[in-house]
Amino acid sequence: VYAAGVVLVTAGLFIVVAVPGTGHYIPGRITGLMMLVVAVMPLTPWQTLALGASIGGYYLAALEFFRRVHGLGNSELDAYDHVFMAVITLIASALTAVVYQQRAANYRSYITALRASMDLRRAQSQMLLAENGASMGRLAAALSHELNTPLGVLRSAVSTLPGLATRVSAADAEQRERLLALQQELFRSMISSVDRLREIVGRMQRYTN
């Protein structure tokens, strides 16, 4: 922006050399540049003040140089231009302060909305984790219930079979036949329980897949 101001001032002074009396248009061009900077550039008030002062200082120095080198008249170095440049710099700095406050307020609102959105996503994630934990708890309860029944049958059958085998060897023919039928019933219960456990394991495998 400072380079653009230097170009505007220098080009304007060359025009003044060719067309005397047009030097008072240069502050107007600098004013347009400063207003454009205030509207577009995200500057702080101090930066705008320094920019306006530096462009104004260059303008006065260049005008004095052109006056001495190219013989510009004293009318091109009017005290009104000094005051005008100072006022424009102060006005631009004040406008920059207003725009800066608005941009800062918008940025704070954006940060607040962003934090609220992050908190909401965090709460949603925690809710999903809680729901998943509850689902896993229900699944574990159902699975333990499904496993306890066949495991209880197997445990009962395993603990009964040795005593039953001992009784079969010492029983008479009629009792042996009844005990053998009971033994076969225990075997069928064990096979049924093993099949049920295998079915539960298969269901769990399908669930994990």
Side-chain angles (χ1 to χ4, degrees), residues 118-174:
M118 293 175 63
D119 292 340
L120 178 60
R121 284 197 294 268
R122 191 178 298 110
Q124 290 174 343
S125 299
Q126 292 175 352
M127 186 181 300
L128 287 175
L129 288 175
E131 291 178 356
N132 288 337
S135 299
M136 293 302 294
R138 289 193 295 269
L139 177 62
L143 183 61
S144 63
H145 176 73
E146 287 288 329
L147 291 174
N148 276 335
T149 302
L151 286 175
V153 173
L154 282 174
R155 182 175 181 178
S156 176
V158 168
S159 62
T160 304
L161 279 176
L164 186 61
T166 302
R167 292 179 60 186
V168 168
S169 61
D172 56 20
E174 182 179 353

Side-chain angles (χ1 to χ4, degrees), residues 17 22 38-39 111 169 177 191 198:
V17 172
T22 58
V38 169
I111 292 298
S169 61
E177 183 177 351
I191 293 173
R198 185 183 295 112

Side-chain angles (χ1 to χ4, degrees), residues 143 145-158 161 184-203:
L143 183 61
H145 176 73
E146 287 288 329
L147 291 174
N148 276 335
T149 302
L151 286 175
V153 173
L154 282 174
R155 182 175 181 178
S156 176
V158 168
L161 279 176
Q184 291 298 323
E185 183 66 26
L186 286 175
F187 280 133
R188 282 192 295 270
S189 297
M190 293 174 66
I191 293 173
S192 175
S193 297
V194 170
D195 290 339
R196 186 172 179 182
L197 288 173
R198 185 183 295 112
E199 179 184 356
I200 293 172
V201 170
R203 287 162 58 189

Side-chain angles (χ1 to χ4, degrees), residues 65-136:
F65 174 79
F66 272 73
R67 186 179 65 82
R68 292 182 179 181
V69 173
H70 296 283
L72 294 180
N74 290 330
S75 61
E76 301 296 344
L77 188 59
D78 195 345
Y80 171 78
D81 293 337
H82 305 336
V83 176
F84 183 79
M85 289 297 300
V87 170
I88 288 301
T89 300
L90 293 176
I91 292 175
S93 300
L95 290 176
T96 302
V98 174
V99 174
Y100 184 81
Q101 288 299 323
Q102 292 177 348
R103 287 173 176 165
N106 291 337
Y107 178 74
R108 286 192 293 268
S109 299
Y110 167 74
I111 292 298
T112 302
L114 184 62
R115 287 176 179 171
S117 177
M118 293 175 63
D119 292 340
L120 178 60
R121 284 197 294 268
R122 191 178 298 110
Q124 290 174 343
S125 299
Q126 292 175 352
M127 186 181 300
L128 287 175
L129 288 175
E131 291 178 356
N132 288 337
S135 299
M136 293 302 294

